[in-house]
Amino acid sequence: MNVMIDKEWLLKNLYDQNVRIVDCSFSLADPKKGRQEYEHNHIPGACYFDLDKDLSGEVSEHGGRHPLPDLKEFIHKLELAGIDKNTTVVSYDQGEGAFAARFWWLLQYLGHEKVFVLDGGFKGWKEGNFPVTSEVPAFKKTAFQSDIKYSLIANMEEVKAAAEEQKANVVLIDSREEKRYLGLEEPIDKKAGRIPGALNKPWFEGLNAGYYKPPEIQKQRFSGIHPDNEIIVYCGSGVTAAPNFIALKAAGYEKVKLYLGSFSDWISYQENKIE
């Protein structure tokens, strides 16, 4: 599955009217930082989508810290950005990878297949001495047609069945760093530990300095998992699991789902067990 686009391709197609660039810069530690960085400078022609305000919905009792956005509102924002079925969309962040991957996954979920992630992100773009600007573009409103791919998302009930029944053909992957997976440290959520039966494949091990490792390396990362298995990836709030979703697809796994609510949703149900 071809997900990545390199900076050379983007530079060549920078002023193509059928290409839309989306800046997803964000900082979990400072939610205002991403937009400030965008306003300071960004790739020419890029619009901005905020993780909290655009790529996530309102937080409630269940659904996790970054729940699915209201799809009607999200689609309206895509239309204001001039994105329709004919648009090739390229998302990027500052080079971390997770925020651009979140946008990529959302468009895949809406059935838009012509969406890619800029390999290396804005960091790689600047290292190439490619052009930047502070100019905020305006676009002609379009009509976006969605075709929701429900097969890409897993709800809590599916995850619970996988955790409790320990099905041989369903694999849960925890994308967080090992110390959170083991429950030794939990800096964000109210409880520590993991969903029972989950394997640990830290999301950042699939990247090298903001660039996705090649498919051969991704296959090695997941070599213990049979390609016919259904895989459900999760993290703390569904954001950093998205790069693992991409890595699994690059490695040739077809049956991959994202548990969007992730661990923060799982622990919102008092009856759910934790390892």
Side-chain angles (χ1 to χ4, degrees):
M1 185 178 188
N2 183 20
V3 173
M4 313 312 299
I5 272 183
D6 60 39
K7 57 182 180 288
E8 290 79 13
W9 183 95
L10 187 57
L11 180 66
K12 185 179 178 181
N13 294 274
L14 196 58
Y15 300 104
D16 187 329
Q17 294 301 307
N18 289 320
V19 174
R20 183 68 66 248
I21 308 166
V22 179
D23 188 321
C24 303
S25 300
F26 194 79
S27 169
L28 294 170
D30 182 2
K32 295 180 181 179
K33 186 179 179 182
R35 176 166 283 281
Q36 290 170 348
E37 289 176 329
Y38 168 77
E39 290 174 350
H40 175 63
N41 60 19
H42 51 264
I43 296 175
C47 57
Y48 181 73
F49 275 70
D50 183 281
L51 174 65
D52 283 348
K53 298 177 181 178
D54 304 318
L55 307 183
S56 307
E58 290 188 17
V59 177
S60 57
E61 182 183 1
H62 302 299
R65 288 183 278 108
H66 291 106
L68 198 67
D70 180 286
L71 293 183
K72 187 176 180 180
E73 290 182 12
F74 182 60
I75 288 171
H76 179 64
K77 291 173 182 177
L78 294 174
E79 292 175 336
L80 292 176
I83 297 171
D84 61 24
K85 65 178 181 179
N86 298 314
T87 310
T88 296
V89 186
V90 180
S91 64
Y92 74 89
D93 50 33
Q94 291 293 314
E96 309 90 344
F99 309 117
R102 167 69 168 222
F103 182 90
W104 175 90
W105 184 89
L106 281 171
L107 257 66
Q108 287 282 319
Y109 180 64
L110 291 179
H112 191 85
E113 295 184 356
K114 291 195 291 186
V115 57
F116 303 88
V117 173
L118 178 62
D119 210 11
F122 194 48
K123 181 174 181 287
W125 180 267
K126 290 187 293 184
E127 287 173 349
N129 292 317
F130 290 175
V132 298
T133 183
S134 60
E135 183 179 345
V136 176
F139 307 102
K140 183 179 178 181
K141 187 175 182 293
T142 58
F144 183 93
Q145 295 176 323
S146 64
D147 180 18
I148 297 177
K149 305 298 183 186
Y150 295 101
S151 62
L152 299 187
I153 197 167
N155 59 32
M156 194 279 291
E157 287 75 17
E158 288 179 77
V159 175
K160 191 171 185 176
E164 291 181 350
E165 298 172 26
Q166 300 286 300
K167 296 179 180 179
N169 64 329
V170 182
V171 178
L172 292 174
I173 292 181
D174 188 316
S175 305
R176 300 171 300 167
E177 57 185 328
E178 186 181 40
K179 57 189 175 183
R180 293 181 69 193
Y181 167 78
L182 293 174
L184 301 176
E185 182 180 305
E186 184 46 65
I188 305 172
D189 290 311
K190 296 177 181 178
K191 297 179 181 179
R194 62 184 177 273
I195 299 174
L199 303 177
N200 187 214
K201 301 290 181 182
W203 69 276
F204 47 83
E205 292 181 355
L207 293 95
N208 182 20
Y211 292 87
Y212 278 81
K213 294 177 181 178
E216 297 74 23
I217 302 298
Q218 305 293 4
K219 287 177 183 178
Q220 292 176 18
R221 290 181 63 219
F222 304 112
S223 61
I225 303 171
H226 196 279
D228 290 338
N229 285 342
E230 179 181 301
I231 302 171
I232 300 174
V233 291
Y234 77 89
C235 54
S237 68
V239 177
T240 56
N244 256 351
F245 187 103
I246 289 175
L248 283 158
K249 286 293 188 177
Y253 290 88
E254 297 291 335
K255 304 173 186 175
V256 186
K257 294 185 176 184
L258 174 66
Y259 176 24
L260 198 82
S262 285
F263 191 68
S264 55
D265 176 59
W266 179 260
I267 62 174
S268 70
Y269 296 89
Q270 296 300 319
E271 68 274 15
N272 284 349
K273 296 179 181 179
I274 299 170
E275 274 186 346

